[in-house]
């Protein structure tokens, strides 16, 4: 712009302040406002271009233009916030949907698939068992596993069909949420499957949180299920809980039969992958692989320092 020294120039700058306030950086708005004030004062002091009180008129127009520009700026900022919030909500909904899908998949894999594996194994073994007691064990296992699978399916269907805002009632934990009880029962399952199995665990794991015990139970179920499915001819197996001051380790081993490749005992697929993912979220780790003619699954969960100190105090007393 070429400044002609007339009041029209200042009036144009005052009106343009609305666009500047709405679109420009704050330092540009401040500079423009100072320019309008300086030119208005200069013209009022050195010339007679402005009518009496014209300076106040221009100041009023500049103030109104500034407020109008700031109002448009606030509206644009508010719209941007709404757009960002909507995008965040969409991401949260997608995350919730994925978590729900993972929850359903975990329920299918950890619960129903495990029970169906036991049913299939004992159903195949039933015609080959001449011993009445062995047949009774197989029939009992089939019946119990079928009831658990049916209960899991009903619970899963209820979860999928539930349209209420309240969370569904929590189901009873497998093996009462006690890892010692879980590995003892799983050891009996392997023995029923014809695999000599040793079990070693403390009856009291006060240092373990309920979440840690549930994670170890899920890993133990997955490891035993894989042995039954993929290595039914194992020479022996062992399930142990190793207590350390800073961690608790679940160790599941099965010795491969001669001539059986290590890959026959691997598998697990989703189960071991999900187990590793869950443990990592709680600071734990999961390793699985062949070692000296056996397939080893090692799951470790950390023990909080205060829990370790408490357990040490109890042991001292």
């Amino acid at each position: 712009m070429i400044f002609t020294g007339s009041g029209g120039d200042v009036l144009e700058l005052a009106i343009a302040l609305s666009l500047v306030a709405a679109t420009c950086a704050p330092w540009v708005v401040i500079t423009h406002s100072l320019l309008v004030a300086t030119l208005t004062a200069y013209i009022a002091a050195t010339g007679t271009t402005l009518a009496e009180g014209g300076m106040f008129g221009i100041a009023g127009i500049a103030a109104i233009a500034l407020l109008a520009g700031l109002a448009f700026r606030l509206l644009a900022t508010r719209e941007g916030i709404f757009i960002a919030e909507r995008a965040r909500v969409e991401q949260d909904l997608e995350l919730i949907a994925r978590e729900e899908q993972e929850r359903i998949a975990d329920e299918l894999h950890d619960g129903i698939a495990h029970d169906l594996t036991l049913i299939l194994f004992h159903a195949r073994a039933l015609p080959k068992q001449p011993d009445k007691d062995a047949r009774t064990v197989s029939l009992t296992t089939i019946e119990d596993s079928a009831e658990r699978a049916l209960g899991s399916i009903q619970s899963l269907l209820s979860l999928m069909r539930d349209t209420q805002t309240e969370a569904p009632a929590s189901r009873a934990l497998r093996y009462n949420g006690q890892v010692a009880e879980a590995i003892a029962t799983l050891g009996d399952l392997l023995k029923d499957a014809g695999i000599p199995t040793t079990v070693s665990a403390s009856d009291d794991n006060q240092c373990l949180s309920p979440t840690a015990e549930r994670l170890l139970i899920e890993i133990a179920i997955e490891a035993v299920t894989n042995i039954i499915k993929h290595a039914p001819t194992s020479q022996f197996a062992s399930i142990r809980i190793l207590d350390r001051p800073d961690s608790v380790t679940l160790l599941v081993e099965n010795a491969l039969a001669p001539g059986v490749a290590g890959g026959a005992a691997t598998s697990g697929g989703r189960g071991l992958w999900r187990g590793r993912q869950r443990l990592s979220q709680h600071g734990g780790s999961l390793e699985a692989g062949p070692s000296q003619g056996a397939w080893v699954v090692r799951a470790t969960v950390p023990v909080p320092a205060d829990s370790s100190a408490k357990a040490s105090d109890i042991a001292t007393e």
Side-chain angles (χ1 to χ4, degrees):
M1 136 176 209
I2 299 176
F3 181 61
T4 62
S6 66
D9 297 334
V10 180
L11 184 60
E12 290 175 3
L13 286 175
I15 295 174
L17 184 57
S18 62
L19 296 177
V20 173
T23 60
C24 295
W27 70 269
V28 178
V29 178
I30 295 173
T31 302
H32 192 100
S33 301
L34 292 176
L35 178 61
V36 173
T38 301
L39 292 179
T40 302
Y42 172 76
I43 293 176
T46 60
T48 58
T49 303
L50 296 179
E52 184 177 354
M55 181 178 66
F56 300 103
I58 291 179
I61 293 173
I64 294 173
L66 177 63
L67 293 176
L70 292 177
F72 282 112
R73 191 185 195 95
L74 289 175
L75 288 175
T77 302
R78 185 180 180 185
E79 183 179 0
I81 293 174
F82 285 158
I83 293 174
E85 183 67 15
R86 183 175 63 184
R88 186 189 66 80
V89 170
E90 290 177 352
Q91 291 178 353
D92 290 343
L93 291 176
E94 291 178 359
L95 179 60
I96 292 173
R98 285 197 299 268
E99 290 178 348
E100 194 66 21
Q101 291 172 354
E102 290 290 349
R103 180 181 176 184
I104 293 173
D106 290 340
E107 180 68 21
L108 288 171
H109 181 275
D110 297 340
I112 300 174
H114 173 66
D115 293 328
L116 292 180
T117 298
L118 294 179
I119 293 173
L120 179 60
F121 177 82
H122 284 279
R124 288 175 175 173
L126 192 60
K128 304 177 183 178
Q129 293 176 341
D131 183 69
K132 182 178 179 180
D133 293 337
R135 291 174 63 86
T136 300
V137 170
S138 293
L139 289 173
T140 302
T141 303
I142 291 173
E143 182 178 1
D144 293 342
S145 299
E147 290 179 355
R148 283 197 304 267
L150 180 60
S152 298
I153 291 173
Q154 291 174 342
S155 176
L156 185 59
L157 290 176
S158 175
L159 174 64
M160 296 173 65
R161 294 172 178 173
D162 185 18
T163 57
Q164 299 178 356
T165 55
E166 296 84 0
S170 58
R171 298 180 297 103
L173 296 175
R174 283 178 175 265
Y175 308 110
N176 298 318
Q178 302 295 322
V179 65
E181 178 181 342
I183 66 172
T185 305
L186 292 171
D188 291 338
L189 288 176
L190 289 176
K191 292 176 184 177
D192 294 338
I195 302 174
T197 304
T198 58
V199 176
S200 174
S202 171
D203 294 331
D204 187 13
N205 296 105
Q206 293 185 358
C207 59
L208 282 178
S209 66
T211 300
E213 290 212 61
R214 178 176 57 82
L215 291 173
L216 291 181
I217 290 172
E218 291 171 354
I219 298 300
I221 291 174
E222 174 65 18
V224 170
T225 302
N226 284 342
I227 293 174
I228 294 175
K229 288 172 60 177
H230 305 289
T233 59
S234 296
Q235 294 178 324
F236 70 88
S238 67
I239 309 175
R240 291 181 288 166
I241 295 293
L242 307 178
D243 292 314
R244 294 185 176 86
D246 59 346
S247 65
V248 174
T249 299
L250 167 69
L251 191 63
V252 182
E253 299 178 83
N254 66 289
L256 306 180
V260 177
T266 60
S267 186
R270 172 186 170 82
L272 292 180
W273 174 79
R274 279 291 289 163
R276 185 177 292 107
Q277 186 181 55
R278 293 172 186 169
L279 286 173
S280 65
Q281 292 173 352
H282 294 82
S285 62
L286 173 65
E287 300 175 358
S291 176
Q292 299 179 351
W295 184 261
V296 181
V297 175
R298 184 189 302 271
T300 302
V301 292
V303 174
D306 55 348
S307 298
S308 300
K310 181 178 179 181
S312 177
D313 294 340
I314 293 175
T316 302
E317 294 176 0

